[in-house]
Structure formats: structure tokens, C-alpha cells
Amino acid sequence: MKRRSFLAAPVAMATMTEAFGEPAYDGWIDPTPKVNVKRTLHLEQSHKGMVLIKTDAPDKPRHLIKPEVIDSIWGRGAYEIMPQSLHWKMIDSGWFGEEDLWFPFEKNSPEYEVWFGYFQPACEAHDLISNLLGVNNFWFIDPKDVGYGLEFMLHPSTPRYATVKLEGPQWISGFKELVESKAAHLTVETEVHPQLHAREDK
């Protein structure tokens, strides 16, 4: 990525500065306030009449920025702690070209396990909603009922697999009202889609 295009991306700089500090360049610009990206929660049929909640994240991993590119900007080791979601935000904004990217997602690779456990749609929805509602400290594989028809669950799986479900379609309207009242950047789609994958039912 060219230095000029990098310094012309103030929103990215605001986000990245919060996480990693100023990049190792001169000519630093004042960052703009952090912006919340609009997200949509989708609903999918699950077993026993339950409804699985997913985010609008892709259901397959995406390219990341190469470690040497990230480390050359934010210092050695920055790649190891940078969330994959920040890679995608900067890539989607056009701040890195194809020559800066790689796809390190062979099964059992660290990058694949991080993507599956935290950024694929079901796990991301679990973490997003649990953070929104302050849900934590529930036992491994035991479902956590917090009201609103929601059931949080950590499955006995490697990579990590976590889900959040509604006990049935009758809870959808209340869930939508709850989420959208707490987070202006979140929208809940009320249509329940056919089940795409069976893993959450096991």
C-alpha cells in the first residue's frame, strides 16, 4: 500500500490507533471519531422449533492482510493481535491491494480457528448479543437462559463453537425491539430462513 493512500484514510486511522497506536510514519493526521458500522442479524430455523441467530458476516473466511505488511506499519507482532474484522474493514475500503493480501485458512491453521470461533455468523452473533446484554460466566455446554426467549450455549467443540437461539418464533418481535433499543447500529431481520447447516443442531 502506498504511503499517500494510507495517510488519506482517517477513519481507518481512528480505529487502528485505538487498538495499536500511531503507525510508524511521519506526517500523522488527526483521526476522526470512531464510526459504528451498521449490522444485520438474521434468523435461521434450528431443531425443536428453535431459531438460530446469525450475523450478516460471510459464511466463509476472507483474505487477510499479510503479516509483514501489518507489522511494517504498526510494529512487530501487530498481526498476531489484530482482529480479522479490522483487516476486512480496511480491505473493503480499498486501503490495501491484492499484493498485500493472503489466504492462510487451511483447516487447523490458527487463522482458521480464530475465524471459525469468533467471526463466522453464528459465533459472532453469540458474542455480539452476549456483550450487548452483559451475559457471561455460564458453564461450558450448559445453555444459559437469560429471558427474552434467548438461549446462549458454548458447544464442546474445537474450533470454538458458540450459539445463541430464540426458543421459538413467538420471541422474534420482542428480541428485535430489545436489540434495536440498545444498539442503533443493529437491525434484526424478522424472516426465518431455512436451515443452512446442521452443526448447530448437534
Side-chain angles (χ1 to χ4, degrees), residues 58-64 79-80 82-84 87-88 102-121 123-124 157-161 197 199:
D59 60 3
K60 295 181 180 179
R62 298 177 54 191
H63 284 79
L64 301 177
Y79 175 87
E80 298 296 329
M82 180 181 292
Q84 293 180 3
H87 287 249
W88 303 326
W102 72 324
F103 192 80
F105 289 104
E106 299 81 5
K107 288 292 181 68
N108 301 321
S109 71
E111 286 86 357
Y112 178 83
E113 293 195 359
V114 168
W115 171 80
F116 190 94
Y118 296 94
F119 294 106
Q120 56 97 347
C123 291
E124 188 183 48
S157 172
T158 301
R160 174 185 186 262
Y161 187 59
H197 303 290
R199 177 164 185 164

Side-chain angles (χ1 to χ4, degrees), residues 75-102:
R76 182 178 300 177
Y79 175 87
E80 298 296 329
I81 60 173
M82 180 181 292
Q84 293 180 3
S85 56
L86 287 182
H87 287 249
W88 303 326
K89 286 178 183 178
M90 293 189 291
I91 293 169
D92 289 345
S93 296
W95 298 317
F96 293 89
E98 291 185 5
E99 70 278 6
D100 300 316
L101 309 181
W102 72 324

Side-chain angles (χ1 to χ4, degrees), residues 95-179:
W95 298 317
F96 293 89
E98 291 185 5
E99 70 278 6
D100 300 316
L101 309 181
W102 72 324
F103 192 80
F105 289 104
E106 299 81 5
K107 288 292 181 68
N108 301 321
S109 71
E111 286 86 357
Y112 178 83
E113 293 195 359
V114 168
W115 171 80
F116 190 94
Y118 296 94
F119 294 106
Q120 56 97 347
C123 291
E124 188 183 48
H126 171 278
D127 295 347
L128 189 155
I129 298 169
S130 63
N131 287 334
L132 184 68
L133 301 182
V135 177
N136 52 40
N137 297 326
F138 57 94
W139 188 243
F140 188 66
I141 82 171
D142 285 343
K144 174 71 172 181
D145 183 354
V146 298
Y148 309 104
L150 289 167
E151 179 187 280
F152 293 84
M153 190 167 186
L154 292 172
H155 299 257
S157 172
T158 301
R160 174 185 186 262
Y161 187 59
T163 58
V164 57
K165 300 179 183 180
L166 291 169
E167 295 174 357
Q170 69 271 23
W171 293 96
I172 293 174
S173 60
F175 172 68
K176 177 180 175 68
E177 182 179 354
L178 172 70
V179 169

